[in-house]
Amino acid sequence: MKNIDLEKRFQEKIDQEIRIEPRDWMPEKYRKTLIRQISQHAHSEVVGMLPEGNWITRAPSLRRKVALLAKVQDEAGHGLYLYSACETLGVKREDLVNDLLAGKAKYSSIFNYPTLTWADIGAIGWLVDGAAIMNQVPLCRTSYGPYARAMVRICKEESFHQRQGYEILLTLVRGSAEQKEMAQDALNRWWWPSLMMFGPSDKDSVHTAESMKWKIKRFSNDELRQKFIDMTVPQAEFLGLTVPDPDLKFNEETGHYDFGEIDWAEFWQVVKGYGQCNEERLEARNKAHDNGAWVREAADAYARKQEKRERQMSA
Ligand code: BYC
């Protein structure tokens, strides 16, 4: 079949909501876009462990420590499902990881901000995981089968993460004046970076139009950002905290919150590698990778031994 006919049939499948599977024909650009998005997503999960990992030894109680440990461990798992989904597109996990370690690959801007107090762990769960859920629930219906299936489990776990974060903040705002202040300070620092997680505004987003045509993305960056703001502002009110945006106002006509201008210069600085913690994050990932070399070697040796045993059994 000619490429043009294959492409037509491919788009018809997408339009009819038929999932694309690894062995199906797909345009090269669709494959590349998926590799880009899924690998960036996987890297974000893995780097996302670092700001929170920083607080495991300092969690204020055993209960908080257990919940945080479980959350960070979940994120490692999410990274693994996503690298596996990405491998079905014909790339090697090792190459993707090497690109991350060399600073060539992108991961979410949000993880380049520091976690200064315990309230930041609450703010990350509430806002960062809240934003992640808003962005990722539609990805359970993304057109590429392995990515969509990985997202189902990821979203279930993210919703537990979001609740543990909100509960941390709820406890702090009901505590002493200092604790409430700490929660407010965390909201002040995490609010704008959380809005940036959804990516550039639609007019500057290079990939959205094509990704929506292929149903990789179901909503644009601005649509998801607006949904997130509409959902989160009442939650901030319930906590008795103030969203740090003087222009934030409910618009009776549209039924949505109007909000102030995002500092896009800051966003691009962070994406280009010049955020507060970009260097620190890459150093920490490289160190963890080097320290884990013996585990990879042992796993390889075990796999080779198993293979040999299976060959002997079937001979
Ligand atoms: N940070 O054309 P655009 C999580 C890049 S949550 C850094 O709109 P697209 C977690 C973008 O990659 C976070 N870079 O792109 C939560 C592109 O660069 P390239 C991860 C960003 O792909 C809690 C350029 O800007 N979630 O994991 O259509 C705990 C133009 O953007 C960002 C996902 O990855 C950013 N914020 O839309 C632990 C979800 N935004 O590739 C972990 C899946 C944009 O041309 N991904 N860029 O060099 C997506 O939904 C989409 O990829 C995005 C961007 C909405 C992020």
Side-chain angles (χ1 to χ4, degrees), residues 36 60 67 101 174 185 211 217 231 259 279 298:
R36 182 184 63 77
L101 296 175
R174 289 173 179 169
D185 172 60
S211 289
K217 282 166 86 162
M231 177 189 80
F259 55 98
E279 256 180 57

Side-chain angles (χ1 to χ4, degrees), residues 147-162:
Y147 191 22
R149 289 189 285 275
M151 290 316 301
V152 173
R153 178 150 173 202
I154 292 179
C155 285
K156 285 197 178 131
E157 292 175 351
E158 298 288 18
S159 96
F160 152 71
H161 298 170
Q162 200 263 356

Side-chain angles (χ1 to χ4, degrees), residues 8 10 93 117 121 167-168 239 270 275-276 283-284 307:
K8 193 164 160 266
F10 171 83
R93 180 182 310 204
T117 71
I121 300 305
E167 203 233 336
I168 289 175
L239 289 170
V270 178
Q276 290 179 55
E283 261 173 43
E307 249 176 49

Side-chain angles (χ1 to χ4, degrees), residues 89-273:
L89 292 154
V91 278
K92 284 216 282 226
R93 180 182 310 204
E94 205 184 343
D95 294 339
L96 301 174
V97 171
N98 285 341
D99 281 351
L100 172 68
L101 296 175
K104 289 193 219 152
K106 287 199 171 76
Y107 58 84
S108 183
S109 49
I110 193 76
F111 302 117
N112 293 306
Y113 291 84
T115 39
L116 305 179
T117 71
W118 172 249
D120 288 12
I121 300 305
I124 291 182
W126 171 38
L127 299 173
V128 176
D129 287 273
I133 294 170
M134 194 53 86
N135 165 280
Q136 294 173 13
V137 167
L139 290 175
C140 298
R141 294 188 295 117
T142 195
S143 56
Y144 187 58
Y147 191 22
R149 289 189 285 275
M151 290 316 301
V152 173
R153 178 150 173 202
I154 292 179
C155 285
K156 285 197 178 131
E157 292 175 351
E158 298 288 18
S159 96
F160 152 71
H161 298 170
Q162 200 263 356
R163 273 178 258 168
Q164 70 87 40
Y166 196 71
E167 203 233 336
I168 289 175
L169 289 181
L170 203 52
T171 308
L172 288 176
V173 298
R174 289 173 179 169
S176 65
E178 284 86 351
Q179 283 172 316
K180 186 163 182 193
E181 213 172 288
M182 214 162 90
Q184 180 64 57
D185 172 60
L187 173 58
N188 294 348
R189 285 179 292 106
W190 289 93
W191 176 254
W192 291 103
S194 299
L195 300 190
M196 293 175 194
M197 283 177 71
F198 295 94
S201 65
D202 292 353
K203 66 177 172 36
D204 297 319
S205 166
V206 279
H207 303 296
T208 294
E210 198 162 50
S211 289
M212 286 185 70
K213 182 183 97 184
W214 284 331
K215 297 190 181 169
I216 293 174
K217 282 166 86 162
R218 296 275 175 170
F219 296 97
S220 74
N221 300 355
D222 285 338
E223 283 169 338
L224 290 172
R225 191 170 7 249
Q226 183 70 58
K227 277 172 185 270
F228 173 73
I229 292 171
D230 291 346
M231 177 189 80
T232 311
V233 172
Q235 296 174 352
E237 281 166 4
F238 186 77
L239 289 170
L241 298 178
T242 308
V243 174
D245 178 357
D247 296 320
L248 187 78
K249 197 168 178 291
F250 189 72
N251 184 327
E252 297 287 346
E253 269 172 42
T254 60
H256 299 291
Y257 281 90
D258 292 335
F259 55 98
E261 185 61 27
I262 291 173
D263 184 348
W264 293 115
E266 175 182 320
F267 170 74
W268 289 115
Q269 277 283 102
V270 178
V271 172
K272 287 181 183 147

